[in-house]
Amino acid sequence: MKINPYIQVQQVYNTKKAGTAKKAESAGRKDDVVISDFGREIQVAKQAVANAPDVRYDVTEPIRTAVNNGTYNVSGEKFADKLLRAAGEI
């Protein structure tokens, strides 16, 4: 015989009466939410990030134009220095 646990759970939940919830409402309790100053700062920061563009075109467009024109030059020495510095931070 196979016992279906979902039916048993449903039977447990069906035994509760709707009047139980009304008793809680009649108690006159009110839920309050208090957000700390730190929480408000996080909300402001999240909103600022959400409003910020994904790509900073003021930075990327001049580089894109230079690359397309063939005028963008990268110093191999500067690139290697930055690469080694980044590898040292890992």
Side-chain angles (χ1 to χ4, degrees):
M1 179 174 151
K2 184 176 180 182
I3 299 174
N4 190 345
Y6 299 110
I7 293 174
Q8 292 173 346
V9 171
Q10 184 180 11
Q11 289 172 348
V12 169
Y13 282 111
N14 284 339
T15 60
K16 293 184 178 181
K17 303 286 184 199
T20 313
K22 288 183 180 177
K23 288 180 186 177
E25 286 179 19
S26 64
R29 292 183 180 172
K30 183 180 171 186
D31 290 337
D32 291 327
V33 176
V34 179
I35 300 174
S36 67
D37 291 336
F38 182 69
R40 284 190 201 101
E41 290 174 8
I42 290 175
Q43 286 178 335
V44 169
K46 287 174 82 175
Q47 188 64 36
V49 168
N51 292 337
D54 290 335
V55 177
R56 291 183 49 200
Y57 291 106
D58 59 324
V59 174
T60 59
E61 241 357 91
I63 297 170
R64 180 187 310 263
T65 304
V67 168
N68 288 338
N69 292 338
T71 59
Y72 185 73
N73 295 320
V74 178
S75 166
E77 189 173 317
K78 287 182 182 179
F79 177 77
D81 287 340
K82 288 184 180 182
L83 184 64
L84 291 173
R85 270 189 266 140
E89 292 175 2
I90 295 177

